[in-house]
Amino acid sequence: MTSQPIIATDVFDVVILGAGISGIGAAHYLRTEHPEKSFTILESRDTIGGTWDLFRYPGIRSDSDLHTFGYEFKPWRDKQAIADAPRILDYLREAVDDDDLAGHIQFQRRAVAADWLSGEQLWAITVRHNDSGVEEIVKTRWIFAGTGYYNYDEGYSPEFPGRERFAGQIVHPQHWPEDLEFAGKNVVVIGSGATAVTLIPAMAPETKHVTMLQRTPTYVIPLPREDMIANAFKRFLGDERGYALSRQKNILQQRIVFQLCQRFPKQARAIIRKSNTAMLPKGFDVDTHFNPPYDPWDQRLCVVPDGDLFRTLRSGKASIATGHIKTFTETGIELTDGTVIDADIIVTATGLNLQLFGGLELSTDGTPVDLTKSVAYRGAMLSGVPNFLLAIGYTNSSWTLKIGLLCEYFCRVLRHMDERGYASVQPVPDPSMTTAPLLNFGAGYVKRALDRLPKQGTEAPWQMTMSVAADVKQLRNGDVADRFMHYQKVPALAAK
């Protein structure tokens, strides 16, 4: 590594962090709404796709329908609505080609630090070249953080007692070995979330037996892998109009389901239970394995396309164990109730480590930014951080629905600044405003990180809304120059 970073000569209008679904979407909006703007995408890996390329475990797929998880500007043409990762990657590659973005993406470039230079009204980003170790300083007027909100380098894996005793192989889904041989073996998948319910039916046909070991049950609902209504819309109305109509249908459907679950939790629980019971083997212990201690949508519901998890349980190739781990043994896992589960391979589908901005360290004029003292504004910007947009999608709906609205808002702010000659903007809250945790969501990976995250306010526009309708109002149609947005022109010295 060089002792002094290289100073890049170009100054970009926007630097986008991450070439996943958020970053590619942001680049499209800049291309179409602000073709005069210069931008680059810094991607720390050697390919596009983000999550959909990083995770390589068997069966990996979306848990949202692609008519809402896809971009508003690019129809999803595949028949699969709950789609596997290769199809999603093909879609993202097409999006890159459609907007001729390949030349704007710099691979093996990790933004490790960014310092706001108030005298210049610019960000100075320290960028590490992962392939050589060289560092350079890249200057930009704006940062769009499309990095998602989890740590790409390391998934969450609790310290299980006796782990070192286990003679078999332990695998985390975030780092799936390409050469993992599980055919004819006993496999235990620890976890009950989206990854676990995907792995069980994908691995079961080849294993001797696969057990889903969960500490707490999750709500699991079957959905058709193919959306017949959406496919009919596209067939009769064409891809563009059919996709747009399907998207609106599914947005409304998602919102209704969420609101009904929140308003009538007992009835929602009963409906989900009835569906589960009908699809499980006769006499299956539903009370133990499919009866979460929380209400529907207090945590994200798990979707299983065409009921594949239930079909696999009926086949006898898979089973569920619910309990607490006492210890790993040489040949498997022992639970606190004395149950012993044999295993040749243990998969720790135990979740993510939450991390904002890919670990980027922020500072202003050399002073580190304490994110725990920042407050999110419209779920798009942070107080105390100028010219910075964060892309965090919905937790109760398709991630990309929010990202598209954030990109629209970003483009509107840029236009407002250009028209009035502003160089920077940051939101400033009232000092007396009451704050709350950034994400009101019960997932373990969120709870573990809340004390390290920014806050949200208790009133608009300082709330992290999880409603498309609310965000259409505030992001697509809301005022970009309210009393909280403090715009500033270039200082005279810097302008000269």
Side-chain angles (χ1 to χ4, degrees):
M1 183 179 294
T2 57
S3 57
Q4 292 294 328
I6 300 168
I7 308 296
T9 56
D10 292 335
V11 175
F12 293 100
D13 290 310
V14 183
V15 166
I16 298 170
L17 306 182
I21 198 163
S22 301
I24 293 169
H28 165 84
Y29 282 92
L30 286 173
R31 272 291 216 196
T32 54
E33 298 296 323
H34 291 280
E36 77 286 356
K37 299 290 185 188
S38 62
F39 68 90
T40 190
I41 303 174
L42 302 179
E43 171 53 55
S44 64
R45 305 177 70 245
D46 59 5
T47 187
I48 71 161
T51 294
W52 303 105
D53 179 77
L54 175 69
F55 286 90
R56 304 291 181 89
Y57 60 79
I60 177 174
R61 53 168 174 78
S62 66
D63 62 351
S64 299
D65 72 277
L66 263 294
H67 300 98
T68 54
F69 192 74
Y71 300 120
E72 185 172 18
F73 59 82
K74 181 174 175 58
W76 175 257
R77 293 180 168 86
D78 198 284
K79 288 185 177 180
Q80 283 192 4
I82 307 297
D84 53 46
R87 294 170 195 253
I88 297 172
L89 282 172
D90 286 343
Y91 176 80
L92 293 177
R93 293 185 189 110
E94 285 181 10
V96 168
D97 291 342
D98 290 347
D99 284 311
D100 194 22
L101 298 177
H104 290 269
I105 305 173
Q106 301 184 56
F107 293 110
Q108 295 285 354
R109 301 293 186 268
R110 179 184 291 276
V112 295
D115 186 31
W116 174 254
L117 309 176
S118 58
E120 299 180 52
Q121 297 285 278
L122 294 172
W123 284 104
I125 306 176
T126 303
V127 179
R128 179 179 301 142
H129 297 207
N130 290 339
D131 47 359
S132 66
V134 170
E135 289 189 350
E136 66 174 326
I137 302 296
V138 175
K139 290 188 176 182
T140 181
R141 294 175 176 85
W142 274 86
I143 295 175
F144 183 101
T147 54
Y149 61 5
Y150 69 88
N151 188 333
Y152 270 49
D153 297 327
E154 184 180 70
Y156 176 67
S157 188
E159 287 299 320
F160 294 111
R163 181 183 180 121
E164 71 286 350
R165 295 168 54 195
F166 181 60
Q169 195 165 358
I170 301 174
V171 176
H172 193 285
Q174 192 165 322
H175 304 285
W176 195 269
E178 291 185 11
D179 59 351
L180 182 66
E181 294 290 342
F182 55 84
K185 296 183 179 180
N186 287 314
V187 178
V188 173
V189 178
I190 302 174
S192 59
T195 302
V197 302
T198 298
L199 279 167
I200 301 301
M203 298 181 73
E206 296 184 45
T207 63
K208 181 179 180 181
H209 190 82
V210 57
T211 303
M212 186 169 86
L213 172 56
Q214 59 182 12
R215 183 174 57 185
T216 306
T218 300
Y219 289 104
V220 182
I221 58 172
L223 284 181
R225 186 178 289 274
E226 296 185 9
D227 185 334
M228 291 189 297
I229 296 175
N231 289 340
F233 284 163
K234 288 184 284 187
R235 188 164 59 251
F236 290 110
L237 300 175
D239 284 341
E240 299 279 348
R241 293 173 61 194
Y243 175 72
L245 187 57
S246 301
R247 187 177 177 87
Q248 293 305 312
K249 171 188 78 75
N250 289 356
I251 289 172
L252 180 61
Q253 182 175 289
Q254 289 172 8
R255 192 61 191 166
I256 289 173
V257 169
F258 177 75
Q259 289 180 336
L260 288 176
C261 287
Q262 293 285 288
R263 188 173 180 183
F264 306 107
K266 290 183 179 179
Q267 292 86 339
R269 180 191 289 265
I271 291 170
I272 296 172
R273 178 188 174 87
K274 185 175 181 180
S275 168
N276 293 169
T277 302
M279 302 190 75
L280 288 164
K282 188 175 182 180
F284 191 91
D285 190 351
V286 179
D287 280 336
T288 297
H289 304 307
F290 286 94
N291 186 30
Y294 53 87
D295 289 332
W297 267 122
D298 284 354
Q299 295 187 31
R300 195 176 179 94
L301 304 183
C302 281
V303 169
V304 289
D306 296 333
D308 58 4
L309 174 67
F310 301 111
R311 188 169 60 250
T312 304
L313 291 170
R314 287 200 308 270
S315 74
K317 288 283 291 181
S319 59
I320 298 179
T322 301
H324 293 261
I325 294 173
K326 178 181 178 181
T327 185
F328 282 23
T329 68
E330 289 80 359
T331 57
I333 296 175
E334 181 182 350
L335 305 185
T336 54
D337 66 1
T339 302
V340 175
I341 307 171
D342 292 333
D344 302 300
I345 298 171
I346 295 174
V347 180
T348 56
T350 45
L352 309 167
N353 281 320
L354 199 149
Q355 181 187 62
L356 292 183
F357 322 137
L360 178 72
E361 295 182 1
L362 295 174
S363 58
T364 59
D365 294 322
T367 302
V369 172
D370 184 352
L371 287 177
T372 65
K373 291 182 170 57
S374 292
V375 186
Y377 172 82
R378 301 193 187 218
M381 299 180 69
L382 294 173
S383 64
V385 187
N387 287 20
F388 188 95
L389 194 134
L390 66 156
I392 295 180
Y394 294 123
T395 56
N396 65 347
S397 189
S398 291
W399 174 274
T400 326
L401 289 174
K402 177 90 172 201
I403 302 304
L405 292 167
L406 288 170
C407 290
E408 289 184 36
Y409 177 76
F410 180 39
C411 290
R412 293 174 61 228
V413 170
L414 291 178
R415 186 170 296 109
H416 177 80
M417 294 174 70
D418 288 346
E419 291 171 350
R420 289 159 179 79
Y422 291 122
S424 67
V425 62
Q426 60 178 305
V428 179
D430 290 331
S432 60
M433 183 179 67
T434 303
T435 60
L438 182 69
L439 297 172
N440 182 22
F441 196 52
Y445 66 91
V446 172
K447 289 182 176 180
R448 289 192 298 270
L450 282 177
D451 62 344
R452 305 192 305 274
L453 299 181
K455 304 294 189 293
Q456 65 170 315
T458 54
E459 297 179 358
W462 296 96
Q463 291 174 305
M464 288 285 291
T465 64
M466 291 295 156
S467 163
V468 175
D471 281 330
V472 166
K473 183 177 179 180
Q474 73 164 346
L475 294 176
R476 178 175 289 168
N477 301 320
D479 190 356
V480 298
D482 63 22
R483 66 188 179 91
F484 300 111
M485 289 285 272
H486 288 212
Y487 290 92
Q488 183 176 339
K489 295 190 176 184
V490 179
L493 182 62
K496 182 178 180 181

